[in-house]
Amino acid sequence: MIPAHASGSVSGVIDEASPLLRADAVSFSYGSHAVLHDVDVTVPAGGLVGVLGPNGSGKTTLLKLLAGLLTPGAGRVTLDGRDTAGLDRVTIARRLAVVPQETELAFDYSVLEIVLMGRYPHLHAFELEGPADLDIARRMLAATGTADLEQRSFRTLSGGEKQRVILASALAQFESRTTTDDDPGASRVLLLDEPTSSLDLAFQLETAALLGRLNRDHGMTVIVCTHDLNFAAGLCRDLVLLRDRRILAAGPTDAVLTPDTIAAVYDVDADVHRHAVSRQLTVVPLARR
Amino acid sequence: MSVSTIPAVAPVTAGDLRRRIWLVQIGFAALTVLACVTAPLIGPTTISLRQVFDSSIPFAENVDAQIFFIARLPRALAGALVGASLAAAGVVLQALLRNPLATPFTLGVSAGASLGAMLVITLGLPLTVVGVPAVPIASFAGALAAVAVVYALATLRRQGLSTNVLLLAGVTLNSLFSAIILFVQYLADFTRSFQAVRWVMGNLDVSSYGPILSALPLMGIAFVVFARLPRALNLLTLGAEGAATRGIDVLRTQRLAFLSASLVTGAAVALGGPIGFIGIIIPHLVRLLVGADHRLVLPASAFLGAAFLVACDVAARTVLSPMELPVGVITAMLGGPFFLWLLIRHR
């Protein structure tokens, strides 16, 4: 399962059985600056995948390609087997949501208004948010621990509060308004870019727990870009390691997160062991190579 | 830059939003109607509203009604249309560019329009073409030319619309056109250049329904597009990617917003000249009153912009009566200090 070809691109195949989201031989460049070259990633429905790699290795670009925000220069991205380039934004938005690293508002909205913006893909052209939408928004605020911020101005929030409110807004995209939901939770994809970068320790744990619950209890597919190896080790079942525009290793966390791969990805000697109390893999960086 | 607004209380129940949208629209529309009915009553000849609408006197003999409907109402309506257009275009462009300092004139539309008008006036071209006044036509053509150049530049480099290029191209075109305007003026004789300067100050000296009727269809088209935009404009506040991941076709929204705002601005400038500050103070004032939701801000700004410009025009006509001030001077003299107050208010 873990591809370990000596040369060429290593394919990030995690499970071929039921690919929900798939990047197929994808390359991307900003102008003449190549960011990703011939990258394959396959994420099964219900997957919980971490994308790791040094600064500039293309993590965020990969995330944007998977979200259909960027069009690959070569290759294609498919959601449920359909090329995202051919899908309209509303169809994608009901299935796939993105929590970016930072959100700066051009104008000042209340927290509730921001979360209600997640309901857009479920409303007709001139339809106003109804009681069901408001109910969904409040549930998502509660789920992300931001219920008491509802009437606050988004701009006055701390970085961590903003991130959790944006997560609530993203989760609000998935909820169908009717109870007869023919679209199971398993087909929803949540993409997060550095979700813990501005969170304190308590909220890092809480966010990891929330993402774990969404994945475990609701079958939601979660893809997380992060620099935090221990956060990824504790949360993700599978990892994709990027280095120099390519995938260096991919597969189950236990198999991929080794001193050798960490050295290959980050040029850092690290000790990887199972923590005595938490029983999760723990990475302790030792020295730069 | 952030002109921080206090978000007016967000809807707490679903019914709140619907109620607020109706209340805001009715409230601000009433203000517009009040301004349009009151303005024609004010002037050198005092007339009474009761007699204007006294149906027992035939119109041909009702001097008050004639002054009201023939002499003064066109001017009030022109003011209302121009004010509504500029304020709404300001809202749309601020949301599109994600920049609270954008105005309807930021993207070069007014400079293009001014150049067009300037050329007709200073080159002494015939002032009517087959009975249609040439200055508004030339100014509208100038506005369209500016829009075409800016749009072409913004879409040239890559797929999609670059709001950065849009902004930079607009600002550059503004300076370029202003330079050409100065050049043309420099060469023109004194009387013509005086006329041209007067035009640039903005003036609502409309004394018939003709100019209004010719601007109306263009404004109508733009406002039909505006009606579809508010929710997409709300989502654009999260940035192009935040809007796209929530289901907005960003490129289509940007195109519609840019073209409709430019169209309405071109039509407004052709009708009243480049009247400044409406497009920036009204949207900010409205956000202070109703919050940032464009479903409230856009209609409220259009109505308040209409009422405000009609009121300013009354001031322009009466402050130094019988001399008439250009209304653009009034809006700038009120708008400048107001905007500065807005800037320091939350610091």
Side-chain angles (χ1 to χ4, degrees), chain B residues 305-328:
Chain B
F308 178 73
L309 189 55
V310 171
C312 283
D313 190 46
V314 170
R317 288 192 287 123
T318 53
V319 168
L320 294 181
S321 177
M323 202 176 99
E324 214 172 83
L325 288 173
V327 68

Side-chain angles (χ1 to χ4, degrees), chain A residues 104 107 109 124 138 173, chain B residues 5 12 98 231 234 237 245:
Chain A
E104 279 300 325
F107 295 97
Y109 288 82
H124 303 299
R138 293 218 163 97
Q173 286 173 231
Chain B
T5 60
V12 177
R98 303 189 71 238
R231 225 149 33 117
N234 281 345
T237 201
T245 57

Side-chain angles (χ1 to χ4, degrees), chain A residues 64 67 69-71 89-90 92-94 96-98 100 103-110 112-114 116-121 123-132 134 138 150-155 166 169-170 173, chain B residues 1-15 17-18 21 91 94-95 98-100 159 227-228 231-242 244-250 284 287 291-295:
Chain A
K64 287 181 180 176
L69 290 173
L70 295 173
T71 310
R89 290 294 345 169
V90 168
I92 297 177
R94 289 181 180 180
L96 181 149
V98 178
T103 300
E104 279 300 325
L105 295 192
F107 295 97
D108 206 359
Y109 288 82
S110 76
L112 185 60
E113 284 175 310
I114 294 294
L116 281 171
M117 286 182 192
R119 298 303 298 157
Y120 180 88
L123 299 170
H124 303 299
F126 290 98
E127 195 180 1
L128 300 180
E129 299 89 337
L134 210 63
R138 293 218 163 97
E150 184 182 300
Q151 294 297 322
R152 283 272 298 278
S153 142
F154 182 84
R155 276 184 174 167
I166 292 296
S169 175
Q173 286 173 231
Chain B
M1 204 234 47
S2 71
V3 176
S4 151
T5 60
I6 313 159
V9 185
V12 177
T13 67
L17 182 60
R18 186 176 307 276
I21 291 176
V91 170
Q94 284 158 20
R98 303 189 71 238
N99 186 336
Q159 345 146 275
R228 291 193 67 91
R231 225 149 33 117
L233 296 182
N234 281 345
L235 270 84
L236 275 184
T237 201
L238 294 163
E241 290 178 348
T245 57
R246 282 168 183 76
I248 300 285
D249 184 339
V250 173
H284 283 286
R287 282 190 202 100
D293 189 335
H294 286 88
R295 290 172 293 192

Side-chain angles (χ1 to χ4, degrees), chain A residues 229-230 262 266 268-273 282-288:
Chain A
L229 298 184
N230 290 318
I262 291 171
Y266 293 102
V268 165
D269 287 323
D271 175 46
V272 181
H273 63 273
T282 305
V283 178
V284 181
L286 299 173
R288 192 171 175 145

